[in-house]
Amino acid sequence: QVQLVESGGGLVQAGGSLRLSCAASGSIFSLNAMGWYRQAPGKQRELVVTITSGGSTNYADSVKGRFTISRDNAKNTVYLQMNSLKPEDTAVYYCNAEISNERRVRLHYWGQGTQVTVSS
């Protein structure tokens, strides 16, 4: 069993910064691709950024140049540094991960989400 726990959300003014963290725990043999997704009120969940086990990243156009994803494999943790935040970034941010367990079975997990609110 694996759990993903997000933290770091909050209320900030436009132009401010936040850093989100997502810590994975449980039966983890290896962390494969990880990513951040977000869901704004009344909208579909959308991809923010993904990062592979090799460090390759894929950012949504709306966050390029402002958000940076990173990972600390020793801590089974992925981070999302968010700078120059805009009101349209307001959403619940969810961590996603593909994890291989000890049996080499690949499973996908979602965190519970953390609220990010950006005021004008």
Side-chain angles (χ1 to χ4, degrees):
Q1 187 62 48
V2 173
Q3 290 186 338
L4 302 179
V5 180
E6 302 101 333
S7 62
L11 174 64
V12 298
Q13 296 181 15
S17 299
L18 284 173
R19 190 181 76 157
L20 307 183
S21 299
C22 173
S25 63
S27 302
I28 302 171
F29 180 77
S30 65
L31 287 171
N32 304 318
M34 302 185 73
W36 290 95
Y37 296 73
R38 67 187 182 186
Q39 187 166 21
K43 296 184 178 180
Q44 296 288 324
R45 188 173 300 184
E46 65 177 357
L47 183 148
V48 178
V49 60
T50 58
I51 183 168
T52 68
S53 59
S56 297
T57 57
N58 181 33
Y59 292 88
D61 289 340
S62 59
V63 306
K64 287 181 179 178
R66 300 188 298 119
F67 292 9
T68 303
I69 191 171
S70 61
R71 59 192 293 169
D72 185 338
N73 292 329
K75 297 181 179 180
N76 289 334
T77 300
V78 64
Y79 305 94
L80 183 65
Q81 179 66 47
M82 305 186 293
N83 298 325
S84 302
L85 283 162
K86 304 175 181 179
E88 52 262 44
D89 295 318
T90 295
V92 177
Y93 284 70
Y94 297 91
C95 179
N96 174 267
E98 181 188 275
I99 295 172
S100 296
N101 63 18
E102 291 290 342
R103 295 182 294 151
R104 311 298 196 275
V105 176
R106 296 175 176 84
L107 300 171
H108 292 270
Y109 294 89
W110 289 95
Q112 296 299 309
T114 185
Q115 177 71 49
V116 172
T117 303
V118 184
S119 62
S120 300

